[in-house]
Amino acid sequence: PVKKVVAGQAGSLALKKVKRPMIRKGMVLLDSLITPGSVREFTAEVLIFYHGTTIKQNYQPIIHCETVRQAAKVLSIDKNVVRTGDRAHIHFRFMYHPEYVKEGSRFIFREGRTKGIGKILNIITRT
């Protein structure tokens, strides 16, 4: 057993009187003084490590950002097309439900053999 977990560390909890359907992977435990909001859309600067062809609008990679792992749709890109080795500002929308992510968070994304990294620059919609 761990005595304490501090900011920046990840840990697991055993919760009593909490039903399994009430929680899911990726949920975050926060101080009651913080008023967080879940995020549906965000803009990020991304670097494409590898992609076989081109990335365009409506592309749907899996975003891995801290405890979040969910498909996100590309709504817009600041360039016409993005290829291996390119950097771009991309507007993403989570496909299934909002997630708790923060500006400045780094993430990786993948889909098949496609791989890239990014940094969240701006939160668009917060619920």
Side-chain angles (χ1 to χ4, degrees), residues 78-106:
D78 67 345
K79 300 179 179 182
N80 289 340
V81 292
V82 181
R83 294 186 170 94
T84 299
D86 288 349
R87 285 185 184 271
H89 288 125
I90 298 180
H91 181 170
F92 288 100
R93 175 188 291 143
F94 284 120
M95 294 296 295
Y96 303 107
H97 42 73
E99 298 285 3
Y100 179 71
V101 294
K102 301 175 281 191
E103 286 184 12
S105 295
R106 297 196 179 274

Side-chain angles (χ1 to χ4, degrees), residues 8-25:
Q9 292 181 324
S12 296
L13 300 172
L15 302 173
K16 293 183 179 183
K17 298 182 181 179
V18 176
K19 302 288 183 199
R20 181 76 175 162
M22 295 172 60
I23 58 173
R24 64 178 175 77
K25 287 182 181 180

